[in-house]
Amino acid sequence: MTTILTGGVGKAEVADAVERLALAGVEVVVSNDMDAATRLRAGRADYFLGTCQTGAGASLGVLVGLMGSAVCHTFGRSVPSEGEINALLDQGKKVFGFAVDQIDAVAPTLAGAIAART
């Protein structure tokens, strides 16, 4: 089972968008930054999807500080392609940030790429 944590201002909306996909082997848990960092570091979760108004700062601020930038990536206000997402997953990225107004475009593609790896 792959666990995706959601956080930030749109955490419930991201969870809803991912849950609507009904991806086999994927569990979605609404979280907060500190809990997410703790769970990720302990191996009790696999990925984090965070949102804020710009997708650049508050979406990942705490997680970058606690997890390190090597596992974090922000899309900001852009909508990534499936290829870009897969390249980031190949690099070991586990923590992603994006703008709250991009949830419907980013969350399903990101979650689908994560699910394809399980």
Side-chain angles (χ1 to χ4, degrees), residues 1-16:
M1 177 72 64
T2 298
T3 301
I4 299 174
L5 305 174
T6 66
V9 296
K11 62 186 170 187
E13 292 86 352
V14 172
D16 289 343

Side-chain angles (χ1 to χ4, degrees), residues 32-49:
N32 62 58
D33 295 358
M34 290 302 292
D35 180 58
T38 300
R39 291 181 68 171
L40 287 163
R41 289 170 69 176
R44 295 188 337 249
D46 304 291
Y47 296 93
F48 176 82
L49 310 183

Side-chain angles (χ1 to χ4, degrees), residues 4-16 18 28-37 40 47-53 55 57-63 94-100 103 107 110:
I4 299 174
L5 305 174
T6 66
V9 296
K11 62 186 170 187
E13 292 86 352
V14 172
D16 289 343
V18 175
V28 183
V29 177
V30 175
S31 186
N32 62 58
D33 295 358
M34 290 302 292
D35 180 58
L40 287 163
Y47 296 93
F48 176 82
L49 310 183
T51 54
C52 70
Q53 296 303 321
S59 65
L60 298 182
V62 170
L63 283 119
K94 295 183 174 292
V95 176
F96 297 94
F98 48 96
V100 71
I103 290 172
L110 189 50

